Amino acid sequence: MGELQHENATEALLTRHGAPRPASDWAENARRAARARMLALGAAGRRDEYWRYTNPAVLNAPEAPEAEILQLDEAPVFDGFDKLLITFVDGVYQPDLSDDLSGEGLEVSLLDEALDMDIHWAGELFGVLEAKGQHPVPRPFAALNTALAGQGVVIRATGKVSRPVALRYCRSELRSDVLIHHVIRVEAGAELTILENGAGAARLNTCMEVDVAEGGSFHHLRAQGRDHARLANTHIFARLGAESHFKSFTLTVNGALTRNEVVIDINGDNTKASVAGASLGDGDFLHDDTIFITHDAQGCESRQVFKKVLKNGATGVFQGKILVQPDAQKTDGYQISQALLMDDDSNFLAKPELEIYADDVACSHGSTCGAVDENALFYLMSRGVPRSEAQNMMIIAFLDEAIQEIENQAMADDIRSRLIGWAERHSA
Amino acid sequence: MFEIKNLKASLEDEDKQILKGLDLKVGAGEVHAIMGPNGSGKSTMSYVVSGKGGYVVDEGEVLLDGVDLLEMEPDERAAAGLFLAFQYPVEIPGVGNMTFLRTAVNSQRKARGEEELNAAQFLKLVREKAKSLKIDADMLKRPVNVGFSGGEKKRNEILQMAMLEPKMCILDETDSGLDVDAMKLVAEGVNVLRDGKRSFLVITHYQRLLDHIKPDVVHIMADGKIIKSGGPELALEVENHGYAGLLGEVA
Ligand SMILES: Nc1ncnc2c1ncn2[C@@H]1O[C@H](COP(=O)(O)OP(=O)(O)OP(=O)(O)O)[C@@H](O)[C@H]1O
Ligand SMILES: [Mg+2]
């Protein structure tokens, strides 16, 4: 009986989005395989080890909740930067709101078009990195995404791409329930920056598969919009070749539920990976970072830097793992997750994990939560800084270790100004 | 004129009174020193006066130019002209020293209805003051007090004081941890601020500092009260004979 219900719930998920535009055989095979994976995994449930802190019920529900669309009173994040803009409204590509899909050192196409063609490299990635990322931790919403997503971009960087590719996710419907899937390949020695901005949907499920070849460099910066009631479950699956660089930073302010999953496989020697995030929530807010980094090569460095500011009953979740395989000697793994609790109603749940099978490694992890340091607050105030401003200075200071993970200083400053904006809007 | 009247204060969490009826008057332009055994309540006095949490005022008043400070938030007291150089300056990772200083200066100006300093004006001022205290540009760029040596922290306190130009300065053991040269720098920093109107209350254990900053009055504090006041010779007496005799006189 229970089994059957579970199966029905999974079936229901697979029917709630409608079918994407049919694609060529290889892509349809990949989708079918994802569907089978999804059925085998079953829907996410509270009993699953990595869904204990975050209740997936609202993500499993037949319909997306109604989420009011926030009218921005400021320029969008990354607005001031030269970029190749690609706009989706309610998860649908908008040619008239997008730039030409071309650029130096760059091949860009839309997912549904790419899946209908015979693009060799895309066939080796689409659904492949996602499938690999299902072990040992199941990620049913990612399989669902591969099985049913019809929108997204397929990008190949062949050289140093100077302009970032900016994916903008806008909203027009209150209850949009959206799947977006991106496939990205950074060729050997190539460089690519991807920006993502916007809430995108009342319920957004994104999946980004990223393959970085030897010596390639991939930077990802994301701001998840400011809409309050929206839900998001995002996935990044990355495979990193030797001497490559990978950096991903996410800014999350507001949102009833956000679950950001990042799965990184470090496959080549002397690679550097960093995943970082700053999230700020006030009231009805749950933010979950679930990270899994596998070191399967020598001399690699990985960093996880996550900071959360929580107030008025907001909840933060961090589940971060570093797995060091037996041959991954000289691994340098760093992980820190911290929450600043602005009151007693807010809480932070952390599950930091290290699993190490090599003997010559340096891994450190730390997880803390606490209130604003009263001594520091008094020190600032004793110099004439009013309490709310002093508190905001402390908030920004607390978050800065995560912001420092961003390589581009101008973009880091843009993010900083957003943090200040949030802190000012939400100061007591 | 700065005045503490019969100040009694206790710890918030424990039923323990630390200040037990403290009286003190520092006239405009005067320098007073407070000496007293460890644990007599000198730092507690400075904290209660500047509005730190964790203490309850049981009785008394603290007046700066006739205005009662005790009802005010710490930032309002600062804007009213009070400054405390901390015995243990606080490290604040992530907050840049310059940002902090500029925010502080402009917050006070704003609170007093004065025009705020723009970036260029501020920079010019801070460079000038930092130079005389031998604080280099690198220290200004670092987070507040983070990685500063004991002496650097104390010089940074004096820099803040110089920037904020308060009416009433309380210096809590600003001399401790300073080498001889740094002590002279700090003393000079204080002396240039003596303008006949600004008042100082210097808490110290050593006569040494008072050779450089000449006090008008020296107070001896013990068990939460001022037990004796006198001229600079009182500091010499402490230096030479310790507190035993003075405490005995009172008992
Ligand atoms: N927050 C506190 N919790 C517990 N005891 C405290 C607290 N603050 C002050 N006290 C106690 O109050 C007394 C006075 O302390 P205070 O720091 O004011 O002394 P002081 O005169 O500045 O000493 P020193 O010369 O060592 O700096 C001490 O007995 C101290 O232990
Ligand atoms: Mg003291």
Side-chain angles (χ1 to χ4, degrees), chain A residues 373-387 389 393-394 396-398 400, chain B residues 50-52 73-75 78 83-84 86 92-95 100 103-104 107-108 145 157 160:
Chain A
D373 179 351
E374 283 297 326
N375 280 327
L377 199 62
F378 172 63
Y379 189 72
L380 295 173
M381 289 179 73
S382 77
R383 299 304 183 237
V385 184
R387 182 178 300 274
E389 207 171 325
M393 285 175 91
M394 298 291 295
I396 305 308
F398 166 79
D400 209 59
Chain B
S50 48
K52 190 177 188 209
E73 285 278 328
D75 58 303
F83 181 88
L84 166 64
F86 283 56
I92 315 183
V95 175
F100 162 54
T103 311
S107 297
Q108 291 203 16
N145 292 323
E157 294 290 286
Q160 292 169 27

mmCIF file of all heavy atoms in Angstrom, chain A residues 373-387 389 393-394 396-398 400, chain B residues 50-52 73-75 78 83-84 86 92-95 100 103-104 107-108 145 157 160:
data_model
loop_
_atom_site.group_PDB
_atom_site.id
_atom_site.type_symbol
_atom_site.label_atom_id
_atom_site.label_comp_id
_atom_site.label_asym_id
_atom_site.label_seq_id
_atom_site.Cartn_x
_atom_site.Cartn_y
_atom_site.Cartn_z
ATOM 1 N N ASP A 373 27.706 39.731 17.693
ATOM 2 C CA ASP A 373 28.621 39.915 18.812
ATOM 3 C C ASP A 373 28.317 41.237 19.522
ATOM 4 O O ASP A 373 28.529 42.315 18.979
ATOM 5 C CB ASP A 373 30.049 39.906 18.244
ATOM 6 C CG ASP A 373 31.096 40.126 19.328
ATOM 7 O OD1 ASP A 373 30.725 40.447 20.472
ATOM 8 O OD2 ASP A 373 32.292 39.981 19.007
ATOM 9 N N GLU A 374 27.802 41.138 20.740
ATOM 10 C CA GLU A 374 27.372 42.324 21.488
ATOM 11 C C GLU A 374 28.531 43.281 21.766
ATOM 12 O O GLU A 374 28.355 44.493 21.776
ATOM 13 C CB GLU A 374 26.715 41.922 22.810
ATOM 14 C CG GLU A 374 25.293 41.401 22.672
ATOM 15 C CD GLU A 374 24.321 42.457 22.123
ATOM 16 O OE1 GLU A 374 24.492 43.655 22.424
ATOM 17 O OE2 GLU A 374 23.396 42.068 21.390
ATOM 18 N N ASN A 375 29.709 42.716 22.008
ATOM 19 C CA ASN A 375 30.862 43.568 22.286
ATOM 20 C C ASN A 375 31.226 44.417 21.083
ATOM 21 O O ASN A 375 31.537 45.595 21.211
ATOM 22 C CB ASN A 375 32.076 42.725 22.677
ATOM 23 C CG ASN A 375 31.994 42.287 24.125
ATOM 24 O OD1 ASN A 375 31.460 43.009 24.968
ATOM 25 N ND2 ASN A 375 32.473 41.095 24.401
ATOM 26 N N ALA A 376 31.178 43.766 19.915
ATOM 27 C CA ALA A 376 31.506 44.490 18.692
ATOM 28 C C ALA A 376 30.437 45.549 18.428
ATOM 29 O O ALA A 376 30.737 46.682 18.037
ATOM 30 C CB ALA A 376 31.609 43.524 17.525
ATOM 31 N N LEU A 377 29.192 45.173 18.653
ATOM 32 C CA LEU A 377 28.085 46.102 18.438
ATOM 33 C C LEU A 377 28.243 47.334 19.335
ATOM 34 O O LEU A 377 28.090 48.481 18.893
ATOM 35 C CB LEU A 377 26.769 45.375 18.745
ATOM 36 C CG LEU A 377 25.502 45.973 18.187
ATOM 37 C CD1 LEU A 377 25.539 46.000 16.666
ATOM 38 C CD2 LEU A 377 24.285 45.164 18.660
ATOM 39 N N PHE A 378 28.592 47.085 20.582
ATOM 40 C CA PHE A 378 28.775 48.195 21.519
ATOM 41 C C PHE A 378 29.950 49.077 21.092
ATOM 42 O O PHE A 378 29.886 50.301 21.158
ATOM 43 C CB PHE A 378 28.994 47.677 22.944
ATOM 44 C CG PHE A 378 29.376 48.769 23.911
ATOM 45 C CD1 PHE A 378 28.499 49.820 24.178
ATOM 46 C CD2 PHE A 378 30.613 48.769 24.532
ATOM 47 C CE1 PHE A 378 28.851 50.838 25.044
ATOM 48 C CE2 PHE A 378 30.981 49.789 25.396
ATOM 49 C CZ PHE A 378 30.101 50.832 25.654
ATOM 50 N N TYR A 379 30.999 48.426 20.638
ATOM 51 C CA TYR A 379 32.177 49.182 20.190
ATOM 52 C C TYR A 379 31.797 50.150 19.068
ATOM 53 O O TYR A 379 32.127 51.335 19.097
ATOM 54 C CB TYR A 379 33.255 48.205 19.736
ATOM 55 C CG TYR A 379 34.597 48.830 19.462
ATOM 56 C CD1 TYR A 379 35.402 49.286 20.494
ATOM 57 C CD2 TYR A 379 35.068 48.955 18.166
ATOM 58 C CE1 TYR A 379 36.652 49.856 20.252
ATOM 59 C CE2 TYR A 379 36.317 49.513 17.904
ATOM 60 C CZ TYR A 379 37.100 49.960 18.952
ATOM 61 O OH TYR A 379 38.328 50.514 18.698
ATOM 62 N N LEU A 380 31.052 49.625 18.076
ATOM 63 C CA LEU A 380 30.630 50.475 16.959
ATOM 64 C C LEU A 380 29.729 51.602 17.441
ATOM 65 O O LEU A 380 29.882 52.764 17.055
ATOM 66 C CB LEU A 380 29.894 49.639 15.907
ATOM 67 C CG LEU A 380 30.719 48.567 15.184
ATOM 68 C CD1 LEU A 380 29.826 47.717 14.293
ATOM 69 C CD2 LEU A 380 31.810 49.209 14.344
ATOM 70 N N MET A 381 28.779 51.250 18.320
ATOM 71 C CA MET A 381 27.830 52.257 18.798
ATOM 72 C C MET A 381 28.525 53.315 19.645
ATOM 73 O O MET A 381 28.165 54.493 19.615
ATOM 74 C CB MET A 381 26.710 51.591 19.587
ATOM 75 C CG MET A 381 25.766 50.790 18.708
ATOM 76 S SD MET A 381 24.460 49.990 19.662
ATOM 77 C CE MET A 381 23.442 51.427 20.063
ATOM 78 N N SER A 382 29.522 52.884 20.406
ATOM 79 C CA SER A 382 30.209 53.837 21.281
ATOM 80 C C SER A 382 30.953 54.893 20.473
ATOM 81 O O SER A 382 31.390 55.900 21.016
ATOM 82 C CB SER A 382 31.185 53.111 22.198
ATOM 83 O OG SER A 382 32.346 52.764 21.485
ATOM 84 N N ARG A 383 31.103 54.634 19.158
ATOM 85 C CA ARG A 383 31.749 55.624 18.300
ATOM 86 C C ARG A 383 30.719 56.474 17.554
ATOM 87 O O ARG A 383 31.069 57.249 16.664
ATOM 88 C CB ARG A 383 32.670 54.942 17.287
ATOM 89 C CG ARG A 383 33.794 54.138 17.922
ATOM 90 C CD ARG A 383 34.627 55.003 18.875
ATOM 91 N NE ARG A 383 35.759 54.297 19.451
ATOM 92 C CZ ARG A 383 35.965 54.155 20.767
ATOM 93 N NH1 ARG A 383 35.095 54.644 21.635
ATOM 94 N NH2 ARG A 383 37.030 53.531 21.209
ATOM 95 N N GLY A 384 29.439 56.225 17.884
ATOM 96 C CA GLY A 384 28.395 57.069 17.309
ATOM 97 C C GLY A 384 27.565 56.416 16.219
ATOM 98 O O GLY A 384 26.679 57.042 15.651
ATOM 99 N N VAL A 385 27.853 55.151 15.894
ATOM 100 C CA VAL A 385 27.082 54.484 14.847
ATOM 101 C C VAL A 385 25.763 53.966 15.452
ATOM 102 O O VAL A 385 25.789 53.221 16.420
ATOM 103 C CB VAL A 385 27.873 53.295 14.251
ATOM 104 C CG1 VAL A 385 27.109 52.662 13.102
ATOM 105 C CG2 VAL A 385 29.266 53.734 13.807
ATOM 106 N N PRO A 386 24.624 54.387 14.901
ATOM 107 C CA PRO A 386 23.344 53.943 15.459
ATOM 108 C C PRO A 386 23.189 52.418 15.389
ATOM 109 O O PRO A 386 23.781 51.776 14.519
ATOM 110 C CB PRO A 386 22.302 54.617 14.567
ATOM 111 C CG PRO A 386 23.008 55.761 13.932
ATOM 112 C CD PRO A 386 24.439 55.334 13.800
ATOM 113 N N ARG A 387 22.393 51.877 16.298
ATOM 114 C CA ARG A 387 22.289 50.431 16.442
ATOM 115 C C ARG A 387 21.986 49.708 15.135
ATOM 116 O O ARG A 387 22.664 48.746 14.776
ATOM 117 C CB ARG A 387 21.208 50.066 17.482
ATOM 118 C CG ARG A 387 21.067 48.568 17.733
ATOM 119 C CD ARG A 387 20.021 48.263 18.804
ATOM 120 N NE ARG A 387 20.360 48.885 20.085
ATOM 121 C CZ ARG A 387 21.157 48.317 21.002
ATOM 122 N NH1 ARG A 387 21.680 47.135 20.784
ATOM 123 N NH2 ARG A 387 21.416 48.934 22.129
ATOM 124 N N GLU A 389 22.393 50.569 12.073
ATOM 125 C CA GLU A 389 23.490 50.664 11.116
ATOM 126 C C GLU A 389 24.678 49.796 11.556
ATOM 127 O O GLU A 389 25.329 49.138 10.736
ATOM 128 C CB GLU A 389 23.929 52.121 10.992
ATOM 129 C CG GLU A 389 24.539 52.449 9.652
ATOM 130 C CD GLU A 389 24.767 53.948 9.496
ATOM 131 O OE1 GLU A 389 23.944 54.744 10.008
ATOM 132 O OE2 GLU A 389 25.776 54.301 8.887
ATOM 133 N N MET A 393 26.325 46.704 9.581
ATOM 134 C CA MET A 393 27.764 46.569 9.325
ATOM 135 C C MET A 393 28.243 45.186 9.748
ATOM 136 O O MET A 393 29.059 44.554 9.071
ATOM 137 C CB MET A 393 28.562 47.623 10.112
ATOM 138 C CG MET A 393 28.471 49.023 9.547
ATOM 139 S SD MET A 393 29.311 50.235 10.616
ATOM 140 C CE MET A 393 30.941 50.213 9.890
ATOM 141 N N MET A 394 27.708 44.702 10.859
ATOM 142 C CA MET A 394 28.098 43.374 11.343
ATOM 143 C C MET A 394 27.598 42.281 10.393
ATOM 144 O O MET A 394 28.277 41.280 10.166
ATOM 145 C CB MET A 394 27.523 43.128 12.751
ATOM 146 C CG MET A 394 28.021 44.092 13.807
ATOM 147 S SD MET A 394 29.747 43.863 14.205
ATOM 148 C CE MET A 394 29.692 42.242 14.926
ATOM 149 N N ILE A 396 27.034 42.582 7.121
ATOM 150 C CA ILE A 396 27.838 42.619 5.900
ATOM 151 C C ILE A 396 29.218 42.012 6.170
ATOM 152 O O ILE A 396 29.756 41.259 5.361
ATOM 153 C CB ILE A 396 27.981 44.079 5.392
ATOM 154 C CG1 ILE A 396 26.608 44.729 5.199
ATOM 155 C CG2 ILE A 396 28.794 44.129 4.111
ATOM 156 C CD1 ILE A 396 25.629 43.961 4.377
ATOM 157 N N ALA A 397 29.759 42.334 7.333
ATOM 158 C CA ALA A 397 31.076 41.801 7.692
ATOM 159 C C ALA A 397 31.029 40.278 7.789
ATOM 160 O O ALA A 397 31.918 39.574 7.316
ATOM 161 C CB ALA A 397 31.531 42.387 9.022
ATOM 162 N N PHE A 398 29.956 39.787 8.384
ATOM 163 C CA PHE A 398 29.792 38.337 8.549
ATOM 164 C C PHE A 398 29.737 37.634 7.193
ATOM 165 O O PHE A 398 30.316 36.562 7.004
ATOM 166 C CB PHE A 398 28.504 38.093 9.346
ATOM 167 C CG PHE A 398 28.028 36.672 9.307
ATOM 168 C CD1 PHE A 398 28.624 35.713 10.110
ATOM 169 C CD2 PHE A 398 26.989 36.292 8.469
ATOM 170 C CE1 PHE A 398 28.189 34.398 10.063
ATOM 171 C CE2 PHE A 398 26.553 34.986 8.420
ATOM 172 C CZ PHE A 398 27.152 34.030 9.222
ATOM 173 N N ASP A 400 31.028 38.567 4.431
ATOM 174 C CA ASP A 400 32.076 38.904 3.475
ATOM 175 C C ASP A 400 32.992 37.746 3.078
ATOM 176 O O ASP A 400 33.487 37.711 1.956
ATOM 177 C CB ASP A 400 32.899 40.095 3.948
ATOM 178 C CG ASP A 400 33.451 40.879 2.773
ATOM 179 O OD1 ASP A 400 32.633 41.356 1.966
ATOM 180 O OD2 ASP A 400 34.672 40.969 2.637
ATOM 181 N N SER B 50 29.331 54.951 29.353
ATOM 182 C CA SER B 50 29.146 54.995 27.899
ATOM 183 C C SER B 50 28.005 54.108 27.391
ATOM 184 O O SER B 50 27.742 54.080 26.199
ATOM 185 C CB SER B 50 30.459 54.697 27.172
ATOM 186 O OG SER B 50 31.065 53.570 27.714
ATOM 187 N N GLY B 51 27.344 53.390 28.307
ATOM 188 C CA GLY B 51 26.083 52.744 27.931
ATOM 189 C C GLY B 51 26.184 51.293 27.499
ATOM 190 O O GLY B 51 25.324 50.783 26.777
ATOM 191 N N LYS B 52 27.211 50.588 27.933
ATOM 192 C CA LYS B 52 27.325 49.177 27.576
ATOM 193 C C LYS B 52 26.227 48.369 28.267
ATOM 194 O O LYS B 52 25.838 48.670 29.409
ATOM 195 C CB LYS B 52 28.700 48.667 28.012
ATOM 196 C CG LYS B 52 28.991 47.292 27.459
ATOM 197 C CD LYS B 52 30.386 46.824 27.820
ATOM 198 C CE LYS B 52 30.653 45.550 27.056
ATOM 199 N NZ LYS B 52 31.547 44.651 27.698
ATOM 200 N N GLU B 73 21.078 56.019 24.258
ATOM 201 C CA GLU B 73 21.776 54.883 23.636
ATOM 202 C C GLU B 73 23.267 55.239 23.535
ATOM 203 O O GLU B 73 23.609 56.427 23.485
ATOM 204 C CB GLU B 73 21.230 54.667 22.218
ATOM 205 C CG GLU B 73 19.851 54.030 22.166
ATOM 206 C CD GLU B 73 19.921 52.516 22.302
ATOM 207 O OE1 GLU B 73 20.906 51.908 21.857
ATOM 208 O OE2 GLU B 73 18.973 51.940 22.873
ATOM 209 N N PRO B 74 24.128 54.239 23.437
ATOM 210 C CA PRO B 74 25.569 54.531 23.354
ATOM 211 C C PRO B 74 25.930 55.486 22.216
ATOM 212 O O PRO B 74 26.771 56.376 22.391
ATOM 213 C CB PRO B 74 26.194 53.153 23.108
ATOM 214 C CG PRO B 74 25.219 52.187 23.678
ATOM 215 C CD PRO B 74 23.861 52.802 23.507
ATOM 216 N N ASP B 75 25.273 55.324 21.048
ATOM 217 C CA ASP B 75 25.616 56.191 19.917
ATOM 218 C C ASP B 75 25.189 57.630 20.179
ATOM 219 O O ASP B 75 25.842 58.578 19.725
ATOM 220 C CB ASP B 75 24.979 55.661 18.627
ATOM 221 C CG ASP B 75 23.475 55.540 18.715
ATOM 222 O OD1 ASP B 75 22.991 54.825 19.623
ATOM 223 O OD2 ASP B 75 22.765 56.153 17.897
ATOM 224 N N ALA B 78 27.734 59.207 22.352
ATOM 225 C CA ALA B 78 28.907 59.573 21.555
ATOM 226 C C ALA B 78 28.655 60.888 20.820
ATOM 227 O O ALA B 78 29.504 61.783 20.821
ATOM 228 C CB ALA B 78 29.238 58.460 20.573
ATOM 229 N N PHE B 83 33.542 60.092 24.701
ATOM 230 C CA PHE B 83 34.388 59.111 24.017
ATOM 231 C C PHE B 83 35.092 58.234 25.040
ATOM 232 O O PHE B 83 35.627 58.723 26.029
ATOM 233 C CB PHE B 83 35.447 59.807 23.157
ATOM 234 C CG PHE B 83 36.330 58.842 22.412
ATOM 235 C CD1 PHE B 83 35.965 58.371 21.164
ATOM 236 C CD2 PHE B 83 37.520 58.375 22.988
ATOM 237 C CE1 PHE B 83 36.774 57.458 20.488
ATOM 238 C CE2 PHE B 83 38.325 57.465 22.313
ATOM 239 C CZ PHE B 83 37.955 57.005 21.065
ATOM 240 N N LEU B 84 35.083 56.926 24.781
ATOM 241 C CA LEU B 84 35.811 56.000 25.643
ATOM 242 C C LEU B 84 36.882 55.284 24.827
ATOM 243 O O LEU B 84 36.574 54.610 23.841
ATOM 244 C CB LEU B 84 34.835 54.963 26.242
ATOM 245 C CG LEU B 84 35.474 53.737 26.905
ATOM 246 C CD1 LEU B 84 36.298 54.139 28.129
ATOM 247 C CD2 LEU B 84 34.405 52.718 27.309
ATOM 248 N N PHE B 86 38.947 52.216 24.819
ATOM 249 C CA PHE B 86 38.754 50.957 25.540
ATOM 250 C C PHE B 86 40.051 50.399 26.117
ATOM 251 O O PHE B 86 41.116 50.511 25.509
ATOM 252 C CB PHE B 86 38.174 49.891 24.593
ATOM 253 C CG PHE B 86 36.709 50.048 24.307
ATOM 254 C CD1 PHE B 86 36.209 51.238 23.795
ATOM 255 C CD2 PHE B 86 35.828 48.994 24.513
ATOM 256 C CE1 PHE B 86 34.860 51.383 23.515
ATOM 257 C CE2 PHE B 86 34.475 49.131 24.231
ATOM 258 C CZ PHE B 86 33.985 50.327 23.732
ATOM 259 N N ILE B 92 36.955 43.525 15.023
ATOM 260 C CA ILE B 92 35.737 43.280 14.248
ATOM 261 C C ILE B 92 36.103 42.812 12.846
ATOM 262 O O ILE B 92 36.245 43.617 11.930
ATOM 263 C CB ILE B 92 34.843 44.530 14.187
ATOM 264 C CG1 ILE B 92 34.723 45.165 15.576
ATOM 265 C CG2 ILE B 92 33.464 44.164 13.653
ATOM 266 C CD1 ILE B 92 33.802 46.356 15.643
ATOM 267 N N PRO B 93 36.241 41.510 12.655
ATOM 268 C CA PRO B 93 36.601 40.990 11.333
ATOM 269 C C PRO B 93 35.555 41.398 10.301
ATOM 270 O O PRO B 93 34.361 41.418 10.600
ATOM 271 C CB PRO B 93 36.586 39.465 11.526
ATOM 272 C CG PRO B 93 36.618 39.232 12.999
ATOM 273 C CD PRO B 93 36.007 40.437 13.633
ATOM 274 N N GLY B 94 36.021 41.761 9.122
ATOM 275 C CA GLY B 94 35.080 42.052 8.036
ATOM 276 C C GLY B 94 34.667 43.511 7.958
ATOM 277 O O GLY B 94 34.139 43.940 6.945
ATOM 278 N N VAL B 95 34.884 44.285 9.030
ATOM 279 C CA VAL B 95 34.555 45.710 8.963
ATOM 280 C C VAL B 95 35.862 46.484 8.791
ATOM 281 O O VAL B 95 36.735 46.434 9.655
ATOM 282 C CB VAL B 95 33.829 46.186 10.232
ATOM 283 C CG1 VAL B 95 33.610 47.698 10.184
ATOM 284 C CG2 VAL B 95 32.501 45.471 10.402
ATOM 285 N N PHE B 100 34.596 52.033 8.968
ATOM 286 C CA PHE B 100 34.130 52.217 10.336
ATOM 287 C C PHE B 100 34.316 53.663 10.780
ATOM 288 O O PHE B 100 33.380 54.320 11.257
ATOM 289 C CB PHE B 100 34.903 51.248 11.240
ATOM 290 C CG PHE B 100 34.866 51.570 12.697
ATOM 291 C CD1 PHE B 100 33.663 51.736 13.359
ATOM 292 C CD2 PHE B 100 36.048 51.681 13.412
ATOM 293 C CE1 PHE B 100 33.634 52.031 14.716
ATOM 294 C CE2 PHE B 100 36.034 51.972 14.765
ATOM 295 C CZ PHE B 100 34.825 52.155 15.414
ATOM 296 N N THR B 103 31.999 56.035 8.859
ATOM 297 C CA THR B 103 30.612 55.881 9.313
ATOM 298 C C THR B 103 30.431 56.548 10.670
ATOM 299 O O THR B 103 29.434 57.229 10.921
ATOM 300 C CB THR B 103 30.234 54.387 9.408
ATOM 301 O OG1 THR B 103 30.611 53.748 8.197
ATOM 302 C CG2 THR B 103 28.742 54.209 9.627
ATOM 303 N N ALA B 104 31.414 56.349 11.545
ATOM 304 C CA ALA B 104 31.313 56.917 12.890
ATOM 305 C C ALA B 104 31.308 58.448 12.830
ATOM 306 O O ALA B 104 30.427 59.097 13.400
ATOM 307 C CB ALA B 104 32.466 56.411 13.750
ATOM 308 N N SER B 107 28.081 59.630 11.176
ATOM 309 C CA SER B 107 26.893 59.385 12.016
ATOM 310 C C SER B 107 26.787 60.466 13.084
ATOM 311 O O SER B 107 25.701 60.990 13.347
ATOM 312 C CB SER B 107 26.976 58.024 12.716
ATOM 313 O OG SER B 107 27.000 56.989 11.785
ATOM 314 N N GLN B 108 27.918 60.777 13.688
ATOM 315 C CA GLN B 108 27.886 61.805 14.734
ATOM 316 C C GLN B 108 27.545 63.173 14.159
ATOM 317 O O GLN B 108 26.756 63.916 14.738
ATOM 318 C CB GLN B 108 29.238 61.875 15.443
ATOM 319 C CG GLN B 108 29.520 60.640 16.279
ATOM 320 C CD GLN B 108 30.526 60.912 17.388
ATOM 321 O OE1 GLN B 108 30.792 62.058 17.732
ATOM 322 N NE2 GLN B 108 31.075 59.855 17.952
ATOM 323 N N ASN B 145 40.933 46.646 14.114
ATOM 324 C CA ASN B 145 41.765 46.033 15.165
ATOM 325 C C ASN B 145 42.223 44.602 14.899
ATOM 326 O O ASN B 145 42.922 44.008 15.719
ATOM 327 C CB ASN B 145 41.054 46.080 16.525
ATOM 328 C CG ASN B 145 40.913 47.500 17.043
ATOM 329 O OD1 ASN B 145 41.807 48.305 16.853
ATOM 330 N ND2 ASN B 145 39.791 47.800 17.661
ATOM 331 N N GLU B 157 42.808 53.644 18.940
ATOM 332 C CA GLU B 157 41.810 54.293 19.794
ATOM 333 C C GLU B 157 42.015 55.812 19.789
ATOM 334 O O GLU B 157 41.061 56.578 19.690
ATOM 335 C CB GLU B 157 41.909 53.776 21.242
ATOM 336 C CG GLU B 157 41.560 52.311 21.438
ATOM 337 C CD GLU B 157 40.086 52.030 21.238
ATOM 338 O OE1 GLU B 157 39.263 52.382 22.103
ATOM 339 O OE2 GLU B 157 39.761 51.444 20.181
ATOM 340 N N GLN B 160 40.869 57.364 16.610
ATOM 341 C CA GLN B 160 39.409 57.543 16.604
ATOM 342 C C GLN B 160 39.024 58.776 17.412
ATOM 343 O O GLN B 160 38.171 59.565 17.008
ATOM 344 C CB GLN B 160 38.722 56.296 17.173
ATOM 345 C CG GLN B 160 38.870 55.072 16.281
ATOM 346 C CD GLN B 160 38.421 53.796 16.973
ATOM 347 O OE1 GLN B 160 37.578 53.821 17.862
ATOM 348 N NE2 GLN B 160 38.986 52.677 16.574
#
